[in-house]
Amino acid sequence: MTTRSETRTALDHLLTEIEHRNPAQPEFHQAAHEVLETLAPVLAARPEYAEPGLVERLVEPERQVIFRVPWQDDQGRVHVNRGFRVEFNSALGPYKGGLRFHPSVNLGVIKFLGFEQVFKNALTGLGIGGGKGGSDFDPHGRSDAEVMRFCQSFMTELYRHIGEHTDVPAGDIGVGGREIGYLFGQYRRITNRWEAGVLTGKGAGWGGSLIRPEATGYGNVLFAAAMLRERGEDLEGQTAVVSGSGNVAIYTIEKLAALGANAVTCSDSSGYVVDEKGIDLDLLKQVKEVERGRVDTYAERRGASARFVPGGRVWEVPADLALPSATQNELDENDAATLVRNGVKAVSEGANMPTTPEAVHLLQRAGVAFGPGKAANAGGVAVSALEMAQNHARTSWTAQRVEEELTRIMNDIHTTCHETADRYGAPGDYVTGANIAGFERVADAMLAQGVI
Ligand code: NDP
């Protein structure tokens, strides 16, 4: 029988090896630490996981593809970007996970996102493996024609690695409905197949699911509501700080308002807006979704209630709830201390790994309900899996049906994480609960399928 401390030592060795074998990938190291540091209790309790090198296989992607993406701008100049697809684990189903277009993208970032995705997708219970991809292409300031040419070039390589039964990408930072449209068009042209299930996040008129654009933000608010319910509270009348102003942030703000809470901030990489009256969603959608502008334009048009703070972080604005919805490591230990000083009750991650490890520990020690992204933002990929189901059946569900399913799935994920944390002696610790529950599902499938 292995003790917990022997298991911890073995995991520490493995973490050192991961750092050694994957140099210069700090985000991947961070994600691996975050998961492996919580697995000792389950590995000690279930020694069958140790023997077949299960954790060692889990931290090594099944396949990693890196490719050149050449494209021409509107002046005819040639640019060369780098494309990635990391197919991390397919024990539970086809690889599934978004594509990110952002200048900060590199292999380590894509691996961290793919690794997180494996556990997140397992938590949904919907039979999807984990993967992630993207490029260091920056769509900001590019014309529609340039974005189209880039997407076409990207898909000209990617198409040979994906398919409805193999690997099903979706959107992420910098990849929304416009990009998915161009990518799908090029896939269809190259393969001569109308294969709806190869990408999710498609337009509602050509194979997309209703509520997919809303799903990540809505799901995160539902998860936050479930955490509050556990403590005898609800969202009614609560004030929230939300970072970001993209897909996840916008639909987080929308759902908060629908459930009686009030989001008073949004941000982008230029700074943040605080709006005492609460964010005016129609105006924000106009500025960000229609005009693809910056948040200072929102503050200019909104009038006296709103102010733009260049370069600042939303976490300095006092609120009951914090929902980071922009990017990784955007909420650090100082921010967490500020949130706690201002009486925050819950932090729920819409973005992937937005809270640094030190900040997570500080929040948990202070008794703040903390919802990790792999549980709290799983609503997006869950509705992507529902989109695949609709595509397969050649049907489309009503918005009401999709939203009911999303609500059920988010409540199930919350219950699973909560019960698993209890079962392994960490009551109220959703990080441990999410990691172990996701791990058990993937590990059981890997065990059954042999050493591959
Ligand atoms: P969008 O591209 O729609 O929006 C991203 C937002 O975050 C923008 O406001 C952007 O500002 C800001 N942002 C991005 N990078 C940075 C940075 N380095 N510094 C400061 N601000 C930044 O992306 P999404 O809303 O889709 O994604 C947001 C987060 O949610 C990501 O972590 C993503 O992985 C995660 N997520 C998304 C899902 C989805 O369904 N879309 C599903 C699950 C998780 P700017 O325009 O100035 O760059």
Side-chain angles (χ1 to χ4, degrees):
M1 180 77 185
T2 326
T3 66
R4 272 194 198 191
S5 76
E6 283 167 348
T7 309
R8 270 214 186 88
T9 309
L11 288 171
D12 285 345
H13 280 138
L14 180 56
L15 281 166
T16 308
E17 197 181 313
I18 290 169
E19 288 175 15
H20 186 69
R21 275 165 61 86
N22 303 277
Q25 297 182 359
E27 292 87 359
F28 178 54
H29 302 166
Q30 185 181 333
H33 270 269
E34 194 261 350
V35 171
L36 267 53
E37 279 167 6
T38 59
L39 294 184
V42 64
L43 293 173
R46 300 189 56 184
E48 71 269 26
Y49 288 150
E51 278 122 48
L54 213 138
V55 185
E56 289 81 351
R57 284 188 283 139
L58 198 52
V59 296
E60 186 69 22
E62 289 176 14
R63 188 175 299 108
Q64 307 179 54
V65 188
I66 304 180
F67 50 97
R68 181 173 69 200
V69 190
W71 58 281
Q72 276 182 299
D73 66 21
D74 289 343
Q75 285 70 46
R77 266 185 53 212
V78 174
H79 299 255
V80 179
N81 284 99
R82 194 169 281 175
F84 301 90
R85 187 71 184 166
V86 172
E87 298 179 332
F88 224 108
N89 193 300
S90 59
L92 289 175
Y95 310 104
K96 183 89 198 81
L99 298 171
R100 176 177 291 192
F101 292 169
H102 192 272
S104 63
V105 164
N106 56 42
L107 183 60
V109 167
I110 298 299
K111 279 172 66 180
F112 118 64
L113 290 163
F115 186 65
E116 289 274 300
Q117 197 83 45
V118 173
F119 302 92
K120 178 187 313 191
N121 293 3
L123 283 174
T124 68
L126 294 173
I128 36 180
K132 200 82 187 189
S135 173
D136 56 1
F137 171 70
D138 186 357
H140 285 113
R142 292 291 172 195
S143 68
D144 285 353
E146 288 173 322
V147 170
M148 180 182 75
R149 285 195 293 276
F150 175 81
C151 289
Q152 289 175 343
S153 180
F154 186 84
M155 185 54 85
T156 300
E157 171 60 32
L158 186 70
Y159 89 95
R160 62 186 95 243
H161 309 290
I162 62 175
E164 62 179 326
H165 300 296
T166 314
D167 183 355
V168 184
D172 190 81
I173 291 177
V175 178
R178 173 183 62 171
E179 291 74 17
I180 293 291
Y182 295 147
L183 291 163
F184 185 78
Q186 183 73 348
Y187 182 85
R188 182 169 63 76
R189 173 205 233 172
I190 295 173
T191 59
N192 194 28
R193 282 165 65 88
W194 211 98
E195 187 186 332
V198 70
L199 287 169
T200 59
K202 299 181 294 297
W206 46 278
S209 175
L210 296 172
I211 307 297
R212 176 61 189 90
E214 293 87 348
T216 308
Y218 279 20
N220 189 25
V221 175
L222 293 168
F223 193 88
M227 290 198 298
L228 288 177
R229 226 174 13 252
E230 200 56 46
R231 298 172 167 222
E233 292 205 53
D234 63 25
L235 282 169
E236 187 68 43
Q238 312 269 10
T239 309
V241 280
V242 175
S243 63
S245 51
N247 172 268
V248 177
I250 284 175
Y251 292 102
T252 297
I253 294 168
E254 185 164 288
K255 193 65 173 176
L256 283 167
L259 296 179
N262 195 21
V264 292
T265 63
C266 64
S267 70
D268 61 22
S269 48
S270 66
Y272 76 85
V273 165
V274 54
D275 189 334
E276 284 159 23
K277 286 195 191 154
I279 297 292
D280 175 336
L281 205 63
D282 289 340
L283 177 57
L284 184 64
K285 284 184 180 176
Q286 173 64 27
V287 171
K288 298 302 292 193
E289 291 189 333
V290 179
E291 299 170 22
R292 297 183 187 273
R294 316 298 293 160
V295 288
D296 58 345
T297 307
Y298 171 96
E300 273 163 31
R301 290 197 202 153
R302 176 73 161 145
S305 73
R307 125 184 107 81
F308 174 65
V309 183
R313 299 218 212 190
V314 299
W315 319 122
E316 60 204 36
V317 177
D320 303 306
L321 312 169
L323 299 114
S325 308
T327 194
Q328 63 268 15
N329 295 327
E330 54 162 316
L331 195 170
D332 66 18
E333 202 175 5
N334 289 333
D335 302 320
T338 307
L339 286 170
V340 169
R341 235 184 354 264
N342 288 333
V344 77
K345 298 172 189 169
V347 175
S348 202
E349 295 186 322
N352 284 310
M353 212 170 72
T355 317
T356 65
E358 300 77 19
V360 174
H361 292 143
L362 193 150
L363 292 167
Q364 289 181 321
R365 273 200 311 273
V368 175
F370 178 78
K374 63 171 77 64
N377 71 35
V381 77
V383 173
S384 274
L386 302 181
E387 182 172 328
M388 290 161 71
Q390 293 169 70
N391 293 155
H392 198 70
R394 292 189 172 277
T395 186
S396 51
W397 300 350
T398 62
Q400 187 190 348
R401 176 168 175 195
V402 179
E403 201 169 341
E404 281 169 7
E405 282 289 312
L406 172 65
T407 306
R408 181 189 61 72
I409 291 165
M410 294 315 298
N411 286 332
D412 281 356
I413 293 175
H414 174 269
T415 305
T416 301
C417 296
H418 196 266
E419 288 179 357
T420 307
D422 272 352
R423 188 153 48 90
Y424 284 96
D429 179 351
Y430 292 97
V431 175
T432 296
N435 288 346
I436 294 184
F439 171 80
E440 286 182 322
R441 288 184 184 167
V442 184
D444 288 341
M446 287 175 72
L447 263 185
Q449 294 170 26
V451 178
I452 52 165

